[in-house]
Amino acid sequence: DQICGLGNAWKIPLDSGVEALAPLQTVGGELGARHEAAYRLISNREDVAWFACRGAGEPGRPSYHAELADPWAEPNGDFLQPFDVCLRHVMNALLEGVDAAKNDAQHDLSGKGGNGELRPCWGEYKDNNGGTYYWNEETGDVTWTAPTMQLDTCLSYLRDRIGVPRDMGQAAAIQLRAYLNWAISLLQQP
């Protein structure tokens, strides 16, 4: 569950029971992992922002049948500046901690996630275990992240595509996913 982010696995505070895939991945502890995640975001912030804005953009044409790898997806540039604000709050929280970042982040992000309206052709369904998934009646695509064209979708898009070890180590990726979820929850607050 923790690797996949099921349940509360990617919520702050994180369960420290995650077993590292490699012995050196836990060097520096939680703080080291948070700093690695922040460094990776800061060092590639503009590209990360454009990439994440695919979440509020249009899927690639022709359709690419690997949900997490759509090389033809088009980013929605209207979300670049608001996403950058979100990303700065996530980086601040990673570096300074949630308590230090919370007030400014709440002020800037609360209620900015959108109304949750799904894109055309998408429907919401429940699986046999009661989990929610979304199905596109036109393409047959399935996703577990609500396919909206909103700011929280950009953060979810990024969260679901963090690659280990391509982008960062396992511990840093888990921290980043949790902090992205923290920002998503702020966006969805009234």
Side-chain angles (χ1 to χ4, degrees):
D1 285 358
Q2 291 177 340
I3 296 281
C4 299
L6 299 177
N8 287 325
W10 293 346
K11 300 272 190 227
I12 298 170
L14 285 168
D15 177 8
S16 61
V18 177
E19 183 179 332
L21 296 174
L24 295 178
Q25 287 187 339
T26 56
V27 171
E30 178 186 334
L31 185 61
R34 288 180 15 217
H35 285 187
E36 178 188 348
Y39 172 77
R40 296 295 185 169
L41 287 178
I42 291 166
S43 64
N44 203 17
R45 185 179 54 82
E46 290 178 13
D47 289 336
V48 168
W50 271 111
F51 176 80
C53 286
R54 289 174 164 190
E58 293 296 326
R61 298 284 184 244
S63 178
Y64 199 77
H65 294 289
E67 178 196 350
L68 297 180
D70 184 356
W72 298 292
E74 292 292 326
N76 185 337
D78 293 341
F79 286 89
L80 189 58
Q81 192 277 334
F83 179 81
D84 188 62
V85 170
C86 290
L87 200 57
R88 289 170 188 258
H89 284 295
V90 169
M91 288 185 284
N92 185 39
L94 284 164
L95 293 170
E96 303 296 331
V98 171
D99 291 339
K102 186 176 182 180
N103 288 338
D104 287 339
Q106 280 181 322
H107 177 266
D108 289 346
L109 304 181
S110 291
K112 304 262 178 17
N115 62 7
E117 184 177 331
L118 297 178
R119 294 179 185 184
C121 301
W122 285 92
E124 182 177 322
Y125 301 90
K126 296 286 183 189
D127 63 21
N128 293 339
N129 297 322
T132 302
Y133 70 96
Y134 304 88
W135 179 69
N136 185 308
E137 61 191 46
E138 186 177 291
T139 65
D141 291 340
V142 175
T143 182
W144 285 263
T145 301
T148 63
M149 293 181 71
Q150 298 168 20
L151 190 53
D152 53 346
T153 307
C154 296
L155 290 166
S156 297
Y157 188 91
L158 176 61
R159 178 203 62 212
D160 295 345
R161 288 162 179 81
I162 297 166
V164 173
R166 178 196 66 205
D167 299 323
M168 61 192 66
Q170 174 197 10
I174 291 171
Q175 290 290 331
L176 179 54
R177 289 176 182 128
Y179 280 76
L180 289 169
N181 276 339
W182 168 77
I184 290 167
S185 70
L186 290 178
L187 287 168
Q188 294 172 343
Q189 288 179 359

